[in-house]
Amino acid sequence: MLIAQLSDLHICRAGETVFGGRDSAQSLARCVQTVNALRPQPDSVILTGDLVNTGHIDEYSRLKSMLALLDSRYYLMPGNHDERATMRQVFAEHDYLGTQGPMQYSVTCAGWRILALDTVVPGAEGGALDEARMRWLEATLAEQPTLPSIIFMHHPAFPTGIVHMDDGCVHEPRFWALLARQPQVKGVSCGHIHRAIFSQHAGMPVCVAPSTAAHLGLQLDAAEQFGVTDEPVGFLLHHCLGDEVRTHCVWVAAPA
Ligand SMILES: [Fe+2]
Ligand SMILES: [Fe+2]
């Protein structure tokens, strides 16, 4: 089973750029071509938030026309740059997004379970997991206690070490205490940081997907300047083998 994870797309309106002049639509188009060229094809593509840059309906319409070129089925999640109501309006046929509140769902695919956990707090850059979301996660995991599962969320729920970004992450001990009782969860994969990170937290494999739009600096010291870098964009490919996951980083070079 293969899941491609594209994150932090930051699609803007035609003629606009993001992150100091980056053409996020052009780089997403190259990522979509790269995903379509994968053999075998991913069983699913999950988009882990910051789908668009400001939440404007024109951005979502543009995104939708670009995602229509994906050969695999795709699933959407919100990030702090997204507007849930506008997402629901433009992607109305995506029933799993629900009609109100956090966009949380589970999908069963090729013997695995994909769980989308919404960490967005409307109007805030940082994320959170409140009581209701934790209850949803616990109940949803309990429905299928033996199916191997991966949890996707926009904000990492652990300190990443990227100084400028860590204030906005979800630091929720209850989340990790719950996962410690759920051996079917094989990993947690996030976005938001605009860098690829692979680690382990509370005994659980965790990772952060690169952005398809632009990368932010490797700021491990607060004294270092923080900003956009010229690193290639990319995405993650989660390869589920038996009940284990191999996660690959696929880099997509800028056009010559
Ligand atoms: Fe982002
Ligand atoms: Fe974000």
Side-chain angles (χ1 to χ4, degrees):
M1 212 270 282
L2 288 168
I3 307 168
Q5 180 187 359
L6 278 60
S7 200
D8 294 272
L9 291 62
H10 288 267
I11 295 302
C12 50
R13 283 180 276 191
E16 295 178 351
T17 58
V18 294
F19 295 104
R22 307 307 158 100
D23 186 339
S24 53
Q26 186 189 61
S27 60
L28 175 61
R30 293 202 311 276
C31 290
V32 167
Q33 288 168 3
T34 306
V35 171
N36 286 344
L38 292 170
R39 295 293 179 272
Q41 273 284 282
D43 295 277
S44 299
V45 176
I46 187 148
L47 306 163
T48 46
D50 287 357
L51 305 177
V52 302
N53 202 46
T54 70
H56 194 280
I57 192 167
D58 293 350
E59 297 176 336
Y60 285 113
S61 298
R62 191 179 189 206
L63 171 69
K64 190 174 186 181
S65 67
M66 298 186 71
L67 295 179
L69 300 175
L70 271 173
D71 292 334
S72 301
R73 173 152 192 192
Y74 67 87
Y75 296 92
L76 304 167
M77 291 181 65
N80 50 296
H81 282 254
D82 290 301
E83 291 290 340
R84 292 189 191 121
T86 315
M87 261 177 84
R88 285 177 165 126
Q89 181 183 345
V90 173
F91 292 91
E93 68 279 20
H94 289 240
D95 297 343
Y96 59 88
L97 294 176
T99 56
Q100 60 182 354
M103 294 170 158
Q104 310 194 128
Y105 54 88
S106 70
V107 177
T108 302
C109 182
W112 277 69
R113 229 171 160 214
I114 297 168
L115 281 88
L117 181 59
D118 185 336
T119 54
V120 173
V121 178
E125 186 173 332
L129 290 175
D130 54 22
E131 191 63 40
R133 290 181 236 206
M134 290 297 299
R135 276 202 306 273
W136 175 85
L137 179 61
E138 186 161 19
T140 305
L141 285 168
E143 287 168 4
Q144 298 272 3
T146 58
L147 269 191
S149 307
I150 306 180
I151 296 175
F152 291 94
M153 51 208 292
H154 181 67
H155 298 87
F158 54 93
T160 64
I162 303 295
V163 180
H164 187 79
M165 299 297 284
D166 265 348
D167 282 352
C169 293
V170 182
H171 297 156
E172 180 52 78
R174 288 179 306 167
F175 176 72
W176 299 105
L178 170 62
L179 296 195
R181 304 192 300 271
Q182 308 283 342
Q184 79 267 38
V185 179
K186 305 303 180 187
V188 177
S189 195
C190 313
H192 185 62
I193 306 296
H194 289 238
R195 295 204 63 83
I197 302 172
F198 299 87
S199 185
Q200 183 171 292
H201 187 76
M204 176 67 64
V206 293
C207 54
V208 178
S211 167
T212 67
H215 286 125
L216 299 174
L218 179 61
Q219 189 207 30
L220 303 178
D221 185 323
E224 292 296 312
Q225 201 173 358
F226 186 68
V228 182
T229 76
D230 286 327
E231 293 161 285
V233 300
F235 59 91
L236 296 183
L237 187 66
H238 303 286
H239 186 194
C240 302
L241 289 165
D243 64 353
E244 298 183 347
V245 186
R246 314 278 182 259
T247 296
H248 301 267
C249 211
V250 181
W251 300 113
V252 178

